[in-house]
Amino acid sequence: MTTATVPDDVTTLPELFARTVAEHTERPAVSDADGELTYRELDELSDAVSGLLRLHGVSPGDRVALCVAHSPGSWAAALGILKRGAVLVTVETCDPAGPSAPAMRMAGATRCLTDTPPPPSQQCPRVVVIPLAEAGPDTAAHHAPPNPRLATAAHVVAPAARAGAARRALVVDHTDVLAQVDAWADERNSPDLRGERFGYFGDVPLSAVELSLWVGLAHGAHLVVLPSLACLLERGLREELSRRGVTALALPAEALRHGVRAEAGGFASLRALVVEGEDLAPEICQMLIGGGFDGHLVQVGAPEAASCRVVSTAT
């Protein structure tokens, strides 16, 4: 059983993260095939991002789109946005050129923090592009935490366009995520994530697993950015997860269904599976257990179930 809870005086995700840094300073926080950041290093790099945003005129409450590849640096960028008191805009898109103008307008973003060349001006008009590469020791000196009372919204999820479907941009408050951390601690059967190598697939939109990963960071887990699910299935999912030392996995329900049907025993080596989204069909759970999985299976509500607010719709 996990024991971490959110103290009454913690009202934002940066405050929650600061508590984790104090408890797990030199533990690995996040890694991929190219590198690793400890909690201290992640904290320092996110300060540099926060200072960079301040230098570019970002104020508390501004909405900043994050257009970076999954990596340790992407978590520093996300934390830096929140440390500035700004709102992290997650745009679900696979377009390498970055988020589209309709998605940016839907989310109300005024800045775009990116690790790629700036998108064409006609793609995101009136949006200031900020290169993540400019963050460093010099910009860290300009980090100044805003009053926590100015930060209510934590992030906005702006889904990509789908033909013939209505689109919704949803706001998730800091309190929504903190409540998820508390709920995890209150649940008697929730696994303790301290020290677990908590993996997630690099081709999954952050919004699809974000609640789970914040729980992991709150508990001192080591987030591991993995290649795509398709890539690992091609190589042998169980073998690859074991080789990479992954002991827990966060993924959306749709990805679990696909993975179990493709390789029923692929998840057998894990101690915990944290699934976000809709409920799993009994058939999938039976296949999972039949494949040898005997760890914790935890269901986390989708963002729509976490007191999100619809902020705009489009067709």
Side-chain angles (χ1 to χ4, degrees), residues 70 199-206 209 224-230 232-233 237 241 249-252 255-256 267:
H70 287 300
Y200 67 104
F201 299 115
D203 61 335
V204 170
L206 181 60
V209 290
V224 180
V225 184
L226 299 167
S228 69
L229 173 59
L232 295 190
L233 283 170
L237 181 60
L241 292 177
L249 188 66
L251 73 173
L256 180 60
F267 304 93

Side-chain angles (χ1 to χ4, degrees), residues 124-293:
C124 299
R126 297 182 298 279
V127 173
V128 177
V129 175
I130 303 174
L132 181 58
E134 292 182 1
D138 292 342
T139 63
H142 295 273
H143 166 61
N147 189 320
R149 287 178 297 181
L150 298 177
T152 54
H155 67 264
V156 174
V157 181
R162 292 178 177 87
R167 294 172 292 154
R168 299 182 301 166
L170 300 172
V171 176
V172 179
D173 290 340
H174 288 266
T175 53
D176 295 325
V177 187
L178 297 179
Q180 183 67 50
V181 175
D182 262 341
W184 186 282
D186 291 340
E187 175 56 50
R188 183 169 300 176
N189 294 320
S190 290
D192 189 342
L193 294 174
R194 286 174 295 183
E196 295 284 2
R197 287 178 60 87
F198 195 17
Y200 67 104
F201 299 115
D203 61 335
V204 170
L206 181 60
S207 59
V209 290
E210 191 164 8
L211 292 177
S212 300
L213 297 178
W214 276 114
V215 170
L217 287 177
H219 288 264
H222 175 181
L223 305 188
V224 180
V225 184
L226 299 167
S228 69
L229 173 59
C231 177
L232 295 190
L233 283 170
E234 183 178 342
R235 300 174 184 175
L237 181 60
R238 179 171 182 174
E239 181 179 348
E240 282 296 304
L241 292 177
S242 298
R243 185 177 71 81
R244 296 167 190 269
V246 174
T247 57
L249 188 66
L251 73 173
E254 182 178 355
L256 180 60
R257 286 196 297 269
H258 176 68
V260 168
R261 286 172 175 150
E263 185 183 334
F267 304 93
S269 63
L270 298 173
R271 289 197 285 266
L273 262 175
V274 185
V275 184
E276 287 198 33
E278 68 272 19
D279 291 338
L280 292 171
E283 171 199 0
I284 298 300
C285 295
Q286 291 168 2
M287 292 176 65
L288 184 65
I289 295 170
F293 176 77

Side-chain angles (χ1 to χ4, degrees), residues 52-53 56 68 112-118 128-135:
L52 173 67
L53 296 176
H56 279 270
V68 299
C112 180
L113 186 62
T114 180
D115 59 357
T116 59
V128 177
V129 175
I130 303 174
L132 181 58
E134 292 182 1

